[in-house]
Amino acid sequence: MNESLEKYPPNFIRSIIERDIADGKNSGAVITRFPPEPNGYLHIGHAKAICLNFGMAKDFDGTTYLRFDDTNPLKEKVEYMEAIKKDITWLGFEWREVRHASDYFEQLHNFAVRFIKDGKAYVDSLTADEIRAYRGTLTAPGKNSPHRDRSVEENLDMFARMRAGEFPDGEHVLRLKIDMAAPNINMRDPTIYRIRHTEHHQTGDAWCIYPMYDYTHCLSDSLEGITHSLCDIGFEDHRPLYDWVLDELAMNAHPQQIEFSRLNLQYTMMSKRKLKLLVDEGIVDGWDDPRLPTIAGLRRRGYTPESIRDFCRRIGVTKSDNNVELALLESCLRENLEATAPRVMGVIDPVKVVITNYEEGQVENLTSANHPKDESMGTRSVPFTRELYIDRADFREEANRKYKRLVSGSEVRLRNAYVIRADEVIKNDGDEIVEIRCTFDPDTLGKNPEGRKVRGVIHWVSAPHSLQAEIRLYEPLFTDDFPDASDKDYHDLINPNSVTIRQGFVEQSLESSEAGKQLQFEREGYFCLDSNDSKPDKLVFNRTVGLRDTWAKIEKR
RNA sequence: UGGGGUGUCGCCAAGUGGUAAGGCACAAGGUUUUGAUCCUUGCAUGCGCAGGUUCGAAUCCUGCCACCCCAGCCA
């Protein structure tokens, strides 16, 4: 993929950065950060943020920090941090440095003490419920806490004792003293520290008070010298608080927070909380289940980093609500795989074909191109024998002229091999076809027969040489196109056919295929070996995505 | 009902006062030993609605309308 093509097309964030550079703001530097909380796996919505943060910085010769927003030890795990790093790297991005919000705990604490000394923060001893009641509502102003006017000395003393562990969880909090009547609820004396007697995955038992997001994020950004702090639109009305904290502290660096809208993708959900439920309830196979929109799931399914980056570029960056069609993601995938995936043959729903005029025991090694347009991908040898498998959908006893496959009494081309004619059908007691007896025309290898036109081409494998394989076909996990927006419980929206298991046969050359390597099963779609379940003696393939299927559309009419 | 946002083709999205890019999807045709790919063509007298300013408005002004987000000691 061309470097310049990888650049983001025009968008409002790019415009802001360009203007800042032109104005000489930040001496022309562009420093961004990707700040995930390690409380779950990354999904395609995060990919949008990753591509934006890393991509934008790269486009302007800037750099990007990976910062774990680890201010809530109750929900976070090192396992998630490792998974996040792996996913970002796999997507093709390099961070300048890994940081943690917890790296700044000491500085954050010092700033808090400064706020107290300046009379701009106080220890509140109301319960959580009382704080909520005092906050007021969307339309009614809040009331001042009775503890709001504690003296600086008392606040200092109590905050020190909070840190020293003298109080149980929930007994006190530290709040900023702003304005309980502010129309923006985020400005009604936000809580910035709470007591949590919990071990932290990075700082161990060094702390029993932990700073909250709004307070931590802006200061972490400032301390790192972030120039453009890109976040999702949910934080738009937190921006006044972001700016307030930095202004009150007169921080040297005051990053600019810019909000963009989250990705909404058809037939899936992006909420980390709900994804975790799907995993915890066993509705899916784990965070890397190929039906999930997680980066790990997409990877296991067979998606490529290039296709995901391309997708993120094509969906653009705006502040408007969006409902992106799955077809766009799939189109990016197919475009990438069309060019890069070697072709092979695999039969998903096999039925036996016997070529009655082909000598028993004979084996011809036919040469097949690995790609129809890219000769550099080379060729491979595919064995042809008397007994083959073809797909059930590629044979009909009767059909009209639109059907261009094998029909009783007529001919079809076997891909990369001969033209055959169907002579006889053998069925079992259940009226199910068990064998199709055919004859082949030996003069049709690499050339068209004389005097007649053969319209169809179907794929096949040699019965004695092919390898048995489990093939997993996927459909969307949800039946509703935007399950997150549905009124119904998500359990009632699960697609019962989200995975279909088939026992098929694939050509011999796949014996040594590696997990995750993309292949095209000709006429079927793109597949890869499952990284978790495939074994040398039990191959398991995931269908990443099917080929565009014009025939299915015609047939539907 | 307070505050903050958003409204350009079925979906995404450029556009920043000079007469509606592009992609996906869809449709029609051509090539083809993948009903794939590729190629060609078509697809908004119109930019939430109504007024106004202007020679000229998706872009500026006014007033409406619709939708989304916010009341964690989560991020």
Side-chain angles (χ1 to χ4, degrees):
Chain A
M1 205 169 288
N2 187 311
E3 274 278 317
S4 66
L5 284 179
E6 285 245 26
K7 285 202 174 188
Y8 263 94
N11 63 60
F12 79 101
I13 295 181
R14 171 177 288 279
S15 305
I16 291 171
I17 295 176
E18 280 168 349
R19 199 205 315 126
D20 288 347
I21 290 174
D23 292 349
K25 194 174 167 186
N26 308 306
S27 310
V30 176
I31 303 171
T32 59
R33 100 273 90 115
F34 175 62
E37 183 187 16
N39 67 345
Y41 278 57
L42 263 23
H43 54 63
I44 187 134
H46 293 108
K48 175 178 180 180
I50 290 168
C51 290
L52 227 206
N53 275 296
F54 284 89
M56 229 25 114
K58 196 174 166 193
D59 282 358
F60 292 101
D61 297 315
T63 53
T64 305
Y65 287 98
L66 167 59
R67 181 171 73 232
F68 288 106
D69 220 332
D70 55 351
T71 55
N72 187 0
L74 255 26
K75 290 187 175 174
E76 298 154 8
K77 282 203 264 183
V78 172
E79 175 206 337
Y80 294 135
M81 300 198 351
E82 295 312 313
I84 288 168
K85 286 195 261 189
K86 179 180 174 180
D87 289 346
I88 297 171
T89 301
W90 178 77
L91 274 175
F93 296 103
E94 283 176 45
W95 49 82
R96 166 177 176 164
E97 215 178 293
V98 175
R99 296 285 182 95
H100 306 79
S102 55
D103 296 339
Y104 312 124
F105 278 178
E106 195 62 51
Q107 291 169 86
L108 258 19
H109 174 267
N110 294 341
F111 285 130
V113 168
R114 210 159 104 198
F115 270 121
I116 294 174
K117 285 180 176 165
D118 289 348
K120 291 170 186 162
Y122 62 98
V123 172
D124 198 355
S125 308
L126 253 27
T127 64
D129 283 345
E130 288 167 336
I131 287 180
R132 190 178 313 120
Y134 273 76
R135 185 155 35 228
T137 69
L138 293 177
T139 50
K143 298 185 298 191
N144 285 171
S145 165
H147 310 287
R148 199 174 198 257
D149 293 317
R150 281 212 246 244
S151 68
V152 168
E153 290 66 34
E154 188 182 1
N155 280 320
L156 246 18
D157 176 61
M158 290 193 69
F159 188 52
R161 289 167 62 198
M162 280 168 66
R163 180 181 185 175
E166 289 187 26
F167 306 114
D169 290 6
E171 188 99 335
H172 307 287
V173 293
L174 185 69
R175 301 177 72 177
L176 254 16
K177 192 186 285 188
I178 306 180
D179 178 9
M180 288 307 291
N184 180 346
I185 289 193
N186 296 118
M187 300 300 272
R188 319 238 260 232
D189 289 10
T191 299
I192 59 169
Y193 269 92
R194 73 297 214 188
I195 300 169
R196 287 264 185 285
H197 289 272
T198 307
E199 178 124 342
H200 187 285
H201 48 97
Q202 299 300 307
T203 59
D205 56 6
W207 296 88
C208 62
I209 54 172
Y210 292 97
M212 294 193 51
Y213 170 84
D214 282 315
Y215 176 72
T216 307
H217 202 80
C218 55
L219 287 168
S220 303
D221 280 351
S222 177
L223 260 11
E224 285 169 7
I226 302 302
T227 57
H228 303 269
S229 180
L230 315 182
C231 64
D232 88 57
I233 213 156
F235 294 103
E236 204 150 22
D237 44 21
H238 292 238
R239 185 168 9 109
L241 177 53
Y242 183 107
D243 290 331
W244 189 92
V245 170
L246 297 184
D247 286 341
E248 290 296 324
L249 256 14
M251 298 296 288
N252 293 330
H254 191 134
Q256 180 180 7
Q257 175 176 304
I258 306 170
E259 311 84 11
F260 61 92
S261 55
R262 276 202 309 264
L263 167 67
N264 294 308
L265 181 63
Q266 239 179 1
Y267 299 114
T268 191
M269 52 172 56
M270 232 60 96
S271 136
K272 250 198 214 175
R273 189 184 65 84
K274 285 191 198 157
L275 290 176
K276 188 171 188 303
L277 282 174
L278 291 174
V279 174
D280 291 346
E281 292 174 2
I283 293 169
V284 295
D285 206 11
W287 285 100
D288 65 349
D289 187 295
R291 292 166 296 178
L292 252 23
T294 52
I295 306 297
L298 291 165
R299 176 169 57 233
R300 186 171 163 199
R301 172 85 168 248
Y303 273 77
T304 58
E306 292 78 9
S307 65
I308 295 173
R309 277 186 257 131
D310 188 29
F311 173 72
C312 290
R313 239 177 302 115
R314 290 208 230 177
I315 56 176
V317 185
T318 66
K319 296 181 73 144
S320 45
D321 286 337
N322 56 81
N323 301 286
V324 178
E325 292 176 334
L326 225 207
L328 180 59
L329 212 212
E330 294 185 336
S331 169
C332 294
L333 214 215
R334 291 196 187 101
E335 185 179 311
N336 181 222
L337 260 22
E338 152 65 27
T340 57
R343 270 57 169 175
V344 295
M345 290 195 282
V347 176
I348 297 171
D349 187 11
V351 62
K352 185 170 278 186
V353 163
V354 176
I355 316 281
T356 53
N357 61 338
Y358 197 84
E359 200 180 315
E360 202 144 354
Q362 187 182 338
V363 180
E364 263 180 290
N365 287 307
L366 305 178
T367 300
S368 299
N370 291 332
H371 190 106
K373 291 183 176 171
D374 185 353
E375 280 187 33
S376 74
M377 292 179 81
T379 60
R380 69 193 186 286
S381 179
V382 178
F384 185 84
T385 58
R386 178 182 163 92
E387 296 201 356
L388 315 171
Y389 290 115
I390 66 167
D391 199 280
R392 279 185 187 278
D394 288 339
F395 174 75
R396 284 184 189 176
E397 291 182 82
E398 287 174 30
N400 63 25
R401 252 191 75 77
K402 275 191 187 165
Y403 184 81
K404 302 195 296 180
R405 308 179 188 183
L406 186 61
V407 178
S408 288
S410 59
E411 291 181 309
V412 78
R413 156 78 60 185
L414 291 178
R415 176 77 169 152
N416 295 128
Y418 299 97
V419 168
I420 59 169
R421 172 187 301 276
D423 303 316
E424 189 188 350
V425 174
I426 298 174
K427 295 181 182 177
N428 64 14
D429 299 341
D431 206 33
E432 190 190 17
I433 298 171
V434 293
E435 186 177 310
I436 305 161
R437 297 182 73 81
C438 302
T439 43
F440 85 116
D441 181 342
D443 198 30
T444 53
L445 188 61
K447 59 179 173 185
N448 288 321
E450 311 254 335
R452 63 208 141 100
K453 193 130 187 156
V454 176
R455 293 172 68 233
V457 180
I458 65 172
H459 57 97
W460 55 277
V461 292
S462 162
H465 295 89
S466 61
L467 312 169
Q468 208 184 118
E470 174 175 317
I471 297 169
R472 298 177 179 171
L473 308 174
Y474 299 103
E475 279 179 33
L477 225 205
F478 295 95
T479 51
D480 191 286
D481 50 357
F482 291 99
D484 262 337
S486 173
D487 297 331
K488 293 190 191 144
D489 186 282
Y490 70 87
H491 294 93
D492 300 329
L493 302 173
I494 301 285
N495 176 3
N497 304 120
S498 61
V499 57
T500 303
I501 311 271
R502 286 280 165 70
Q503 297 302 327
F505 294 97
V506 298
E507 65 173 64
Q508 207 174 18
S509 71
L510 297 187
E511 209 164 21
S512 55
S513 187
E514 55 184 290
K517 185 179 186 293
Q518 289 78 20
L519 299 163
Q520 184 194 101
F521 287 8
E522 290 203 64
R523 301 211 314 127
E524 291 287 1
Y526 297 97
F527 295 77
C528 70
L529 229 40
D530 186 82
S531 53
N532 292 195
D533 301 338
S534 193
K535 303 281 179 305
D537 59 338
K538 190 210 170 212
L539 300 178
V540 177
F541 284 95
N542 293 319
R543 181 172 69 188
T544 311
V545 66
L547 255 27
R548 247 187 95 228
D549 193 352
T550 309
W551 169 243
K553 274 183 218 157
I554 294 170
E555 232 191 348
K556 237 189 222 172
R557 289 176 194 165

